[in-house]
Amino acid sequence: MRKKEEQINHTLKHRAENLIAMMQKKYATDIFGFGEEFRRHQYAYWKAHKDEWDDLFAQAEIRVHVQTYLRRFGQFK
């Protein structure tokens, strides 16, 4: 079961990193709401950079950490 968890973690992390990279490079658009989190928790920084947020997002280094837990194997619908 642990091996399956590791495989799922790897697949999800890879897909998330690819999606983030595509949004940063191809579209330069924050569809994930990172800017909104900055507005909520780092308002002074966000206020100073809100007009250039899409450019900052496109250049940001974003790390992805995935941790899954399998409880049991079985079928699902």
Side-chain angles (χ1 to χ4, degrees):
M1 203 180 292
R2 180 70 186 140
K3 185 170 175 112
K4 272 294 182 198
E5 286 177 348
E6 290 172 6
Q7 290 173 343
I8 291 169
N9 287 343
H10 177 74
T11 301
L12 290 175
K13 181 177 179 175
H14 182 68
R15 287 183 180 185
E17 289 171 340
N18 286 342
L19 179 61
I20 291 168
M22 183 175 61
M23 289 295 115
Q24 286 180 304
K25 293 179 178 118
K26 188 173 181 181
Y27 300 106
T29 303
D30 177 14
I31 65 166
F32 307 104
F34 295 133
E36 183 63 23
E37 285 298 308
F38 269 102
R39 187 188 66 77
R40 284 188 210 141
H41 301 288
Q42 300 289 328
Y43 185 75
Y45 180 85
W46 179 82
K47 188 174 180 184
H49 297 92
K50 68 181 177 180
D51 294 331
E52 58 186 323
W53 177 249
D54 286 333
D55 293 330
L56 290 172
F57 170 73
Q59 298 170 12
E61 177 185 337
I62 299 173
R63 296 185 193 135
V64 176
H65 176 75
V66 177
Q67 191 169 14
T68 57
Y69 298 100
L70 293 177
R71 295 183 194 180
R72 55 191 148 123
F73 286 106
Q75 295 181 338
F76 62 92
K77 294 182 180 182

